[in-house]
Amino acid sequence: MDCCWKEGRCSCRASRAGRPRMVLGGLMVVIGGMAAPAAARADDMAEIRALHAEMQRLEAKVQQLEARHGMASGGSHVLAGRTLRSGPRSSASSTSVTNPSGQISAMPDLSRLTIGGPALSDDAQAAAAAENTMTESIVPSQPKLDLDSSSPLAITQAGVDSLPPIFRIGGVSVRLGGFIDFSNIYRSKNLTSGPATSWGSFPYANSPNAHTGEYRPSAQLTRLSVLLQGSPTKDETLSGYIETDFGGAAGTANSYQTNSYTPRIRQAYMTYSNTKWGFHVLAGQAWSLTTGYTQGLLSRHEQLPPVVDNNQIPGIVFTRVPQIRFIKDFGRKWWLGLSLEAPQVAYAANGGRHAMLTGASDDTISSSDTTLLYSNAGSGMLNPNARYSMDVAPDIVLKGALDTKPAHYEVYGLARWFKAMAQAPGGPIREHVSFAGGVGGDVTVHVIPRYLQFTGNVLAGQGIGRYGPAMLPDATFRANGTPAPIPEIIGSMGLIGHPTSNLLVYLYGGVESAGRRTYTGADGYQYGYGVNDLALASCDVEQISGGSCDAQTHTIADLTVGGWWHVLQGGDGASPTTGGNTIYVTFRYLPFQ
């Protein structure tokens, strides 16, 4: 709720929706507290403010279209029986609000507040609103689900583009987004995992953790975002976006007295957009271009499932990493994008020596074994407790997209390179580089416009495990120490329904599967990933120490059904199998939505 002082009185206004909102398992809870007449007036005024904001948006759009076609501005436009005045507004404009006493008082329009410079012109405001907002000024009008209800899209994405500016600094508009989150997580198996499920860590039957559940409440998903936008010219827009939550866990973080979880960067990037040329550039940390989009290929319009789990669901393709991206649109219908993204490789091996060559464990390798160097501990501003792969070049994504009225289509290619240093006993050190990658696609179909949407994605290739939430390994090694990318496939399908104005339901199914990449050692045993001669008998024998289970994950499957009462049923694979269920009950207060 926003408050300001005027002539010795405090006047307040509610959030954009007109009243504080809280999400409980996907259902909206409206917090009351005023007498019925005052609450009714507040509701009416909230609706009036929402209509004012919508009319301002439409007015800015009309002015932009007029400027594009050289039409005179400064006149009046009639919209739904109301006259909209074009041209600059008075900085003294105000909005009437209802205070707790039930009286109506005037409050300055904070969206017109200017700090350190002149107010942003209406033309510049319209251009800024057009950048990355995917309204009709960017792409043709298409049917979409009305997600601004009890389960708004902002639950999983910022959704700040459609919000009015909170204030302006010179010619830069400032929009705030985010939410307060409180998630209650129950899992049928103990993963000792926070609000981001470690999909590949469901314990097998040999571990006592497979026979007991876990309850873990968390506020770590609380999120704050800021969007800055300015327009040097009517065709150009510069933007800066930062999004953070509390998903970091420093070495001192725990849940005993104060958990001390730390803020982290989710996204932090800048963009340049030229609508005349249809050219867009992004630099910074953002969702990968491999992620599916609802329309076009511009940021903040990723097709993310509306689930609570911060690690999405198995089968969704994504990373969120530093990158530089170039996008060209052709008539706002055809899109072509190229992204150079920060690489990292997850190897199916531990330590610095190639234990798989002899079958010996890392602590028993002798000087006669082949030695590998493929990762190093972090230093400087990197995590010293994590290991970072030796990288050759950025991951490269080339994607094309098509927007039509009934559907959105994408197809792309992914290229990666893996590197390791190997030294055979008594031999020289050799550098080995392997190529990996795959092809993928995404589709979003408006089955019943505004009521039912189908979405699907797939990525198939070698060395692509990093791009799936299950985090299957990218590669193992060949006998000579060369990285061996593992064949994999990642895919999901989902239905998103909106049967009423206050209900969103969804059904998702996803799978991630890894193939074999093995060789036979001098001792006659298989080594690598997907080995079929491992000793697995103890995987089903429960022992307090966990026993020994050398199983390598083949497939992780998931079925997710929810509204905002979120149920997960996931993870079974090749023999032996394991699985578990997760239940989320989440409260969220969205002050900016």
Side-chain angles (χ1 to χ4, degrees), residues 353 355 358-367 369:
R353 294 180 181 272
T358 62
S361 61
D362 289 335
D363 56 359
T364 61
I365 291 180
S366 68
S367 59
D369 296 313

Side-chain angles (χ1 to χ4, degrees), residues 44-174:
D44 291 341
M45 297 312 301
E47 185 174 357
I48 290 173
R49 285 195 299 276
L51 291 173
H52 274 300
E54 179 64 14
M55 288 188 293
Q56 290 174 12
R57 185 187 71 80
L58 293 174
E59 180 185 7
K61 178 183 168 184
V62 169
Q63 293 175 13
Q64 184 188 31
L65 292 174
E66 286 179 341
R68 180 181 302 170
H69 295 285
M71 299 170 62
S73 186
S76 301
H77 309 284
V78 177
L79 176 64
R82 180 178 176 88
T83 301
L84 302 179
R85 298 289 180 181
S86 300
R89 297 173 183 262
S90 169
S91 60
S93 62
S94 62
T95 301
S96 297
V97 298
T98 303
N99 60 26
S101 66
Q103 297 178 345
I104 296 179
S105 59
M107 191 182 94
D109 183 357
L110 294 182
S111 70
R112 296 290 171 176
L113 176 63
T114 302
I115 301 176
L120 196 68
S121 70
D122 283 344
D123 286 344
Q125 177 189 359
E131 150 59 348
N132 278 348
T133 58
M134 306 300 291
T135 60
E136 292 86 351
S137 61
I138 292 292
V139 296
S141 178
Q142 300 185 34
K144 296 183 294 184
L145 290 178
D146 178 13
L147 298 177
D148 190 14
S149 67
S150 63
S151 298
L153 188 62
I155 285 175
T156 54
Q157 300 186 83
V160 297
D161 300 86
S162 60
L163 300 178
I166 300 299
F167 58 86
R168 296 187 176 88
I169 303 176
V172 177
S173 66
V174 180

Side-chain angles (χ1 to χ4, degrees), residues 302-317:
E302 295 82 8
Q303 178 67 281
L304 301 175
V307 298
V308 178
D309 199 301
N310 209 43
N311 203 20
Q312 309 297 330
I313 61 171
I316 297 296
V317 176

Side-chain angles (χ1 to χ4, degrees), residues 409-430:
Y409 307 93
E410 299 176 11
V411 62
Y412 63 92
L414 168 66
R416 310 188 67 196
W417 290 266
F418 305 158
K419 180 172 72 173
M421 309 291 289
Q423 184 177 23
I429 297 177
R430 298 186 182 277

Side-chain angles (χ1 to χ4, degrees), residues 285-291 311-312 315-323 339-347 388-389 391 393-397 414-418 436-437 459 461-475 486-490 512-514:
Q285 179 162 309
W287 294 95
S288 168
L289 191 58
T290 59
T291 309
N311 203 20
Q312 309 297 330
I316 297 296
V317 176
F318 80 96
T319 60
R320 202 170 54 236
V321 296
Q323 59 193 271
S339 185
L340 310 178
E341 306 184 356
Q344 274 294 295
V345 184
Y347 287 102
Y388 296 82
S389 61
D391 300 314
D395 289 3
I396 299 178
V397 184
L414 168 66
R416 310 188 67 196
W417 290 266
F418 305 158
L459 174 61
Q462 301 184 66
I464 59 173
R466 172 201 192 198
Y467 286 83
M471 282 299 295
L472 294 175
D474 292 311
I486 298 171
E488 291 158 326
I489 186 168
I490 305 169
E512 298 181 36
S513 184

Side-chain angles (χ1 to χ4, degrees), residues 19-34:
R19 47 184 176 263
R21 301 195 296 172
M22 180 178 294
V23 175
L24 167 59
L27 300 179
M28 190 63 59
V29 178
V30 180
I31 304 177
M34 295 186 292

